[in-house]
Amino acid sequence: MATLPPALAGDSTGYSDNRLWASDMRAYATKSLNSETALSMAAVPLNGPGLDQSINADTPMSPGSIMKVVTTYAALEILGPTHHWDTDFLTDGKMVGDTLKGNLYVRFGGDPKLTFERLWATLRELRDMGITRITGDLVLDGSYFEVDGGFPLFEDNGDNPFAPFLVEPSVYLTNLNLVHFQIRADERGTQAWSTPALGEITIDNRVTAVADGPCPSRRNFDWEPLVQEGGKVTVRVTGELPQGCRTTTYLSLLPHEQYSASVIRSLLGEMGIIVSGGDQQGVTPESARLVMKTTSPDLVTMVRDINKWSSNVMARQLLLTIGAQNREENEEDDRVAGIRVIYNWLENKGIDTAGMVIDNGAGLTRHGRITARQGAKILQHAWNSPYSSDLMASMPIIAMDGTMARRLRDAGMDGEGRIKTGYLENVRSIAGFTRDENNTTWAVVGMINNDPAWNGQAVLDRILYSLHYKPPIGTALSRASSSSSETSIQ
């Protein structure tokens, strides 16, 4: 957690000179980061007194996860808040007694959050129909998305290619492509299990149970996936666990197609349904009949998950969906099509996209760029959007939930802002809406690009703190002069 910024000296009613607020923030950032160019920020009052503020606001910066605000706001207006995703189960065969004689096709629709629980409820319908055997193949249909040549590589320095935040988008995405591992210690020793329990994954549990004591951090355990031939993975875990404690982790271990097929087979097997054939990928025949389907929650629900918890794969899935829904005849890559659609949407709002690089829609990239001024203008439009409440409700609340739960907790600002955060190596960022003591709401964007950026969070928290307690409301003279000032956002 960042160190709490000290209160600013002087009259708590705000700055009387438009230039002082930005000057103080610039000085604090320069001292904290040892750089005059590491901070880029813009703040705009939306519904009350205040003067636009900016520092290096026209410099393209790496935004990190605040790029998700652009993607989710675009999706709300382009796809609509009630947009949903269908996953269909079809067959080219017939049901005879307790047997489905034919193939079972799974036609994926790009659902960002096709969960284990929803799959269970849907596949259970097949068992409720009396089916206990499928004679054909399990065929996965991934024709909804078009992707030409994969996705731009993100070079991560965490030395863990199985980390959840690195999961790439896929039309076959199921359960975020994750396996949840748990180990618990009791009088019998340690017990290890995974959810879902997949035949391709084995746990080599080398955790030892020790006497009662404080439960250790997850960092005290080493999870080592060992990839074997035939698509199997053994996960070796070591450490010590006091009785009564448990430790958990999430890993992405299998390719999307293999994972999804294995999950579906596992669930069917638990229900007593045997699939005699193999796993295939193909296009569902036009003559196939719908057996059952699962429909996702609406887009508003998805946007909330994306922004509250900064889900990279869900945001990237959303960008592909925008592309798939608006693909032109000559386009063969839904990521590229989605980026084109968002650029056009922004430009139709009068937002200059020069220098902006969306890349993958999630901010998990070394190539993404946006300026603070562009971000602030996007937030201004979002404030006036018919779906402003949906976007705002998706953002983490200061000192209360999501990625802001532990920030500014002792500053007396609980609930006084909804802020999306960003975090990458050498990058820290914020974007969203915060309210000052005069009940004026500000759109604020701040980005730190610095090597290192470890102190960047304290700088960004100070900006939020200062906007709340010392908002730049200005005097009549400073208001008159601000139109030609470098701090004004037009």
Side-chain angles (χ1 to χ4, degrees), residues 156-431:
D156 181 51
N157 65 339
D159 195 30
N160 181 11
F162 310 103
F165 75 93
L166 293 175
V167 173
E168 290 194 332
S170 170
V171 70
Y172 303 106
L173 181 68
T174 299
N175 206 47
L176 303 179
N177 205 55
L178 297 178
V179 179
H180 182 201
F181 294 91
Q182 299 189 66
I183 300 178
R184 187 181 186 277
D186 56 32
E187 61 274 12
R188 301 169 297 171
T190 61
Q191 313 299 319
W193 68 95
S194 66
T195 306
L198 305 181
E200 296 91 336
I201 297 174
T202 302
I203 304 174
D204 179 7
N205 177 20
R206 301 189 181 187
V207 176
T208 57
V210 297
D212 292 353
C215 294
S217 165
R218 294 183 185 183
R219 297 187 183 92
N220 290 36
F221 299 87
D222 181 29
W223 300 83
E224 182 183 5
L226 305 171
V227 180
Q228 303 162 330
E229 293 183 1
K232 296 183 179 297
V233 181
T234 296
V235 179
R236 179 181 300 159
V237 54
T238 56
E240 293 183 345
L241 194 62
Q243 290 192 32
C245 295
R246 74 173 63 203
T247 186
T248 72
T249 195
Y250 289 86
L251 297 172
S252 177
L253 300 169
L254 301 177
H256 286 282
E257 301 90 330
Q258 182 184 3
Y259 177 91
S260 295
S262 185
V263 167
I264 292 170
R265 278 186 178 273
S266 175
L267 287 171
L268 289 172
E270 289 179 8
M271 297 170 190
I273 302 174
I274 298 172
V275 182
S276 300
D279 298 335
Q280 306 291 337
Q281 296 170 43
V283 178
T284 306
E286 292 185 4
S287 59
R289 297 178 294 110
L290 182 67
V291 179
M292 54 211 176
K293 73 162 53 183
T294 177
T295 299
S296 75
D298 60 23
L299 176 63
V300 171
T301 304
M302 299 294 187
V303 166
R304 187 179 188 278
D305 282 350
I306 290 170
N307 286 333
K308 286 284 187 185
W309 306 109
S310 206
S311 174
N312 290 314
V313 66
M314 290 180 68
R316 298 176 71 177
Q317 202 84 351
L318 195 54
L319 178 64
L320 291 181
T321 301
I322 292 172
Q325 290 288 307
N326 297 276
R327 185 191 311 137
E328 296 182 347
E329 289 186 7
N330 63 337
E331 291 179 314
E332 299 178 347
D333 192 311
D334 289 336
R335 181 186 69 91
V336 177
I339 292 171
R340 171 189 57 79
V341 171
I342 293 177
Y343 281 147
N344 290 342
W345 169 77
L346 289 171
E347 289 165 2
N348 287 338
K349 292 180 176 297
I351 296 172
D352 182 5
T353 61
M356 188 185 298
V357 180
I358 295 174
D359 196 28
N360 61 22
L364 186 70
T365 170
R366 308 292 182 198
H367 309 293
R369 293 292 183 273
I370 193 172
T371 70
R373 197 180 305 276
Q374 288 169 333
K377 291 206 71 171
I378 291 170
L379 290 176
Q380 284 178 282
H381 282 278
W383 176 257
N384 293 306
S385 169
Y387 313 121
S388 61
S389 60
D390 299 313
L391 181 66
M392 290 184 67
S394 76
M395 293 183 176
I397 305 172
I398 289 178
M400 294 184 71
D401 73 358
T403 57
M404 285 295 295
R406 296 183 179 276
R407 292 176 65 167
L408 293 164
R409 293 180 75 177
D410 300 317
M413 293 178 59
D414 298 26
E416 293 292 348
R418 294 177 175 269
I419 302 294
K420 179 73 192 77
T421 63
Y423 180 99
L424 278 178
E425 183 183 21
N426 300 331
V427 176
R428 303 291 186 272
S429 56
I430 57 171

Side-chain angles (χ1 to χ4, degrees), residues 40-98:
S40 172
M41 68 80 57
V44 184
L46 297 171
N47 60 351
L51 296 167
D52 300 356
Q53 301 293 308
S54 65
I55 300 171
N56 301 321
D58 294 309
T59 302
M61 305 283 276
S62 177
S65 285
I66 66 171
M67 187 60 80
K68 293 181 177 73
V69 175
V70 180
T71 305
T72 53
Y73 171 34
L76 286 168
E77 291 207 345
I78 294 169
L79 299 175
T82 61
H83 181 86
H84 59 264
W85 292 258
D86 290 331
T87 304
D88 300 329
F89 294 81
L90 309 98
T91 185
D92 56 2
K94 294 182 179 180
M95 296 183 186
V96 180
D98 63 358

